[in-house]
Amino acid sequence: MTNEETISVLNDLIEVSKDGEREFHDCAEEVTDPELLNFFTKTSQRCAEGAAMLQEQVRRLGGEPETEGSFSGAAHRMWVNLKSAVTGADKTSILKECERGEQHAVEAYEKALQEDLPPDVREMVEMQHNGVIANMERVHTLLQGQMQQ
């Protein structure tokens, strides 16, 4: 895999990480529940840290890193904001949207891991992939708990 191809894969993941950072930040602004607020805030920060790691790797490879999320992420947030304005931002709806976003992130990381990445890049992407899976599982657990109430 060329440096340019690796940079392209990493820039795609930066967009996904930036989307996650923004989505979790937005979710934190919508909740008052201390457990959810803490989870969303910390997860947003971890997404930002993950994006920064990816950006540094792109720079190391001689590329220009992405700095924003994707268009589809922005469109998804607009839909979530519109839906929240119409229906009210209840915990279940917020968690469902987070779960949907994390599923997208898992798929993006799995796609990246199908590429022939350099070993050091692969190791970082695998580590972040595991974090995204943990986020999705935590959101799912929170959602299941909320739906049982």
Side-chain angles (χ1 to χ4, degrees):
M1 179 170 238
T2 67
N3 269 7
E4 291 78 22
E5 291 168 328
T6 301
I7 289 167
S8 177
V9 169
L10 293 175
N11 274 330
D12 288 346
L13 295 178
I14 291 168
E15 288 181 349
V16 168
S17 296
K18 288 292 193 179
D19 288 345
E21 174 188 1
R22 188 73 210 158
E23 184 169 302
F24 282 112
H25 177 269
D26 290 350
C27 288
E29 290 182 342
E30 295 293 329
V31 298
T32 56
D33 178 276
E35 180 185 18
L36 290 179
L37 178 61
N38 184 47
F39 171 71
F40 291 147
T41 301
K42 286 184 177 182
T43 305
S44 176
Q45 291 167 349
R46 283 195 305 273
C47 290
E49 291 164 4
M53 289 174 65
L54 294 163
Q55 289 168 325
E56 181 55 37
Q57 193 68 255
V58 168
R59 285 186 205 92
R60 187 184 67 75
L61 293 168
E64 186 65 33
E66 288 291 334
T67 58
E68 300 292 328
S70 67
F71 173 75
S72 63
H76 177 73
R77 281 191 303 280
M78 285 179 17
W79 168 245
V80 171
N81 290 340
L82 176 62
K83 185 176 171 183
S84 292
V86 172
T87 64
D90 66 273
K91 291 181 207 176
T92 301
S93 296
I94 291 169
L95 288 165
K96 282 181 181 178
E97 292 306 321
C98 284
E99 186 174 49
R100 189 181 341 261
E102 286 307 281
Q103 181 60 45
H104 171 74
V106 167
E107 291 167 3
Y109 273 87
E110 288 174 352
K111 179 181 175 191
L113 288 169
Q114 292 174 5
E115 301 294 335
D116 185 25
L117 298 170
D120 59 328
V121 173
R122 175 170 294 283
E123 183 179 329
M124 181 185 58
V125 172
E126 286 174 346
M127 178 194 69
Q128 289 190 4
H129 176 244
N130 290 336
V132 173
I133 289 172
N135 289 344
M136 188 175 72
E137 289 172 352
R138 179 70 176 133
V139 169
H140 183 75
T141 299
L142 289 166
L143 178 59
Q144 293 305 311
Q146 187 61 41
M147 291 173 69
Q148 291 176 358
Q149 290 183 359

